[in-house]
Amino acid sequence: MDHFDYVDGAMQVEQVPMTTIADAVGTPVYIYSTATLMRHAQVFRDALSGLDDPLVSFAVKANPNGAVLATLGGMGLGADVVSGGELLRAIAAGIPADRIVFSGVGKTADEMRLALTHGIYQFNLESEPEAQMLSDVAVSMGKTAPVAYRINPDVDAGTHAKISTGKSENKFGIPYDRAIESYGAARDLPGLEVRGVAVHIGSQLTDLAPLEAAFVKVGTLIAALREAGHDIVRADLGGGLGVPYDPSQPLPPSPADYGAMVARVTQGWNVRLMFEPGRVIVGNAGVLLSRVVRVKQGAQAPFVIVDAAMNDLMRPSLYDAWHDIRAVAPTGERGSANVVGPVCETGDTFAMHRDMDVVADGDLVAFMTAGAYGATMAGTYNSRPLVPEVLVSGDKWAVVRERPPIEALIAADIIPDWIGG
Ligand code: LLP
């Protein structure tokens, strides 16, 4: 469910025609719908309404735009951050530190210091050496860090290998079988207060079974840890719920299905449950709007060359991801096309042999479901400035991140004076 609809034959976002934004801001441009964002956050929260005071911390990596974070923070969501930068962005957007969780395998001492200074809710530790480092940092500051260990349950999430995180060969978490020892060691470290268990097995999951298998293991571990004398009061169940990208595929489980499974599996745990959803909150709330530069005849199907490229939306080239591609003003005619960007790599391909609206030079096309892991993963390859972002709310819209001028990219390079010229 989203708020990108056709009205009188042309796509608009809420009450704003896509053409209005394209004309004013240019293309490519990311466009987000506030109504969709808020709806997804509310649906996710409603799905957990049977739980006692759950903490929903939005995974900032999915979309760190300050206006998006402020919208979600305003609804009471917290933030799951994986860097000092994300932490500062969440705080700048008004998300209180006591709703912030810090995940990630490579937290540095500086990042730990920053998070301790702000007094975040929890550090999700991913290794024993990391626990040692956090202990040292906390002691040096005279502080106590609330921690959970992220366990690696060795469960196959059944998603793309590059976004699967819960198998024993992945870099994430502490091995499940060593967890009791790791927790024992953490208890003996000064400056740490062991509070919970965390798990996150991957992203874009379209089946609840692997999540359930991982949560069952968390439940077993909580009981064992309590038996060993640990005061476990929180369980962080991560993110990972998939969203529909391809309308021809079966729908992924809904937040309500997920919430019901969580309620069933976690019954009697007697902890505060925490969640780190990213994609399911912002995925369908954003599109990448692009203009067709030209259509070029190909050997089999025409190449639709658009002004967005792999650097703007990396998901197709990185994960062979499927994004629906729709004409903003469809003629009703459909055909097969290859949709590509201008970057000089064959990997700069959004779709091959795609049955889609027939488009012509100058037409606008929308890459749907691009609100998660879209703008945030963009780069400047081929000296293409980062894509701007626009947020719509009803009939209002605002540029929430400007397109940097190419001069800024050039000015950032420093040419040492030993080079002549
Ligand atoms: N928590 C942790 C510790 C994570 O690593 C992630 C995502 C999340 C929560 C949020 O997961 P979500 O609910 O969004 O599935 N760039 C990839 C996705 C990478 C996900 C990384 N971790 C993509 O475009 O598909």
Side-chain angles (χ1 to χ4, degrees):
M1 156 79 194
D2 63 42
H3 296 77
F4 298 89
D5 296 311
Y6 288 96
V7 177
D8 296 333
M11 192 190 289
Q12 49 181 62
V13 45
E14 302 191 28
Q15 291 154 42
V16 180
M18 300 293 247
T19 47
T20 303
I21 297 169
D23 289 349
V25 184
T27 53
V29 54
Y30 276 96
I31 304 176
Y32 310 127
S33 155
T34 303
T36 313
L37 268 181
M38 294 182 74
R39 183 189 142 82
H40 287 318
Q42 194 54 48
V43 164
F44 195 83
R45 279 213 306 219
D46 289 349
L48 306 176
S49 58
L51 307 174
D52 183 23
D53 190 29
L55 177 63
V56 178
S57 293
F58 172 64
V60 171
K61 64 171 82 64
N63 191 323
N65 186 284
V68 170
L69 297 182
T71 302
L72 297 175
M75 294 183 71
L77 270 64
D80 165 55
V81 304
V82 293
S83 68
E86 285 191 353
L87 172 65
L88 291 174
R89 272 187 150 167
I91 286 172
I95 296 180
D98 65 2
R99 287 194 235 134
I100 297 182
V101 180
F102 200 152
S103 305
V105 294
K107 301 176 202 78
T108 64
D110 281 346
E111 289 174 320
M112 292 172 178
R113 221 169 277 123
L114 182 70
L116 282 167
T117 304
H118 284 282
I120 65 163
Y121 188 64
Q122 182 167 297
F123 291 84
N124 287 348
L125 299 175
E126 304 225 14
S127 65
E128 291 180 28
E130 186 192 2
Q132 180 66 60
M133 179 186 270
L134 182 59
S135 165
D136 293 345
V137 172
V139 167
S140 75
M141 297 172 72
K143 294 201 182 265
T144 302
V147 302
Y149 258 126
R150 173 175 179 177
I151 55 138
N152 184 321
D154 195 21
V155 166
D156 185 350
T159 184
H160 192 283
K162 284 187 185 158
I163 53 176
S164 188
T165 56
K167 287 287 287 169
S168 58
E169 64 263 31
N170 299 139
K171 69 181 174 181
F172 299 98
I174 55 167
Y176 187 76
D177 296 337
R178 265 196 58 78
I180 295 287
E181 286 92 324
S182 300
Y183 271 87
R187 176 170 44 196
D188 296 339
L189 290 173
L192 300 190
E193 188 176 56
V194 176
R195 312 240 68 199
V197 179
V199 74
H200 171 80
I201 60 168
S203 196
Q204 185 55 16
L205 271 71
T206 52
D207 180 5
L208 292 179
L211 286 166
E212 177 163 348
F215 299 166
V216 166
K217 285 191 152 187
V218 169
T220 307
L221 181 62
I222 290 173
L225 288 170
R226 285 186 173 144
E227 202 138 295
H230 293 279
D231 186 19
I232 301 298
V233 292
R234 303 172 185 167
D236 182 341
L237 301 183
L241 195 55
V243 301
Y245 281 101
D246 180 348
S248 74
Q249 293 296 309
L251 283 178
S254 68
D257 299 335
Y258 172 83
M261 181 274 282
V262 167
R264 177 167 50 76
V265 174
T266 63
Q267 207 163 14
W269 282 15
N270 199 18
V271 290
R272 182 181 198 198
L273 289 174
M274 300 160 59
F275 300 87
E276 303 169 351
R279 191 188 315 261
V280 75
I281 306 290
V282 289
N284 288 346
V287 306
L288 173 61
L289 182 64
S290 179
R291 200 177 282 284
V292 177
V293 178
R294 69 181 58 85
V295 179
K296 166 181 167 174
Q297 209 40 59
Q300 286 117 19
F303 286 101
V304 172
I305 304 168
V306 296
D307 65 2
M310 63 190 287
N311 65 294
D312 305 314
L313 177 62
M314 289 182 68
R315 304 194 65 258
S317 57
L318 263 185
Y319 321 113
D320 296 318
W322 203 102
H323 285 264
D324 204 12
I325 305 170
R326 299 189 197 156
V328 164
T331 58
E333 208 188 331
R334 292 182 68 87
S336 179
N338 305 321
V339 181
V340 300
V343 161
C344 301
E345 293 201 24
T346 300
D348 184 24
T349 297
F350 292 111
M352 288 299 281
H353 305 292
R354 177 70 65 89
D355 176 41
M356 59 178 279
D357 299 321
V358 169
V359 288
D361 299 8
D363 285 357
L364 290 171
V365 294
F367 292 86
M368 307 306 292
T369 322
Y373 307 109
T376 177
M377 291 174 67
T380 59
Y381 186 42
N382 276 211
S383 294
R384 297 166 51 85
L386 288 178
V387 207
E389 294 165 86
V390 162
L391 182 68
V392 175
S393 178
D395 61 358
K396 297 195 295 282
W397 65 274
V399 174
V400 292
R401 185 173 227 253
E402 291 197 7
R403 189 191 311 279
I406 184 63
E407 289 73 21
L409 212 64
I410 296 167
D413 291 345
I414 297 159
I415 301 177
D417 57 13
W418 71 77
I419 299 176

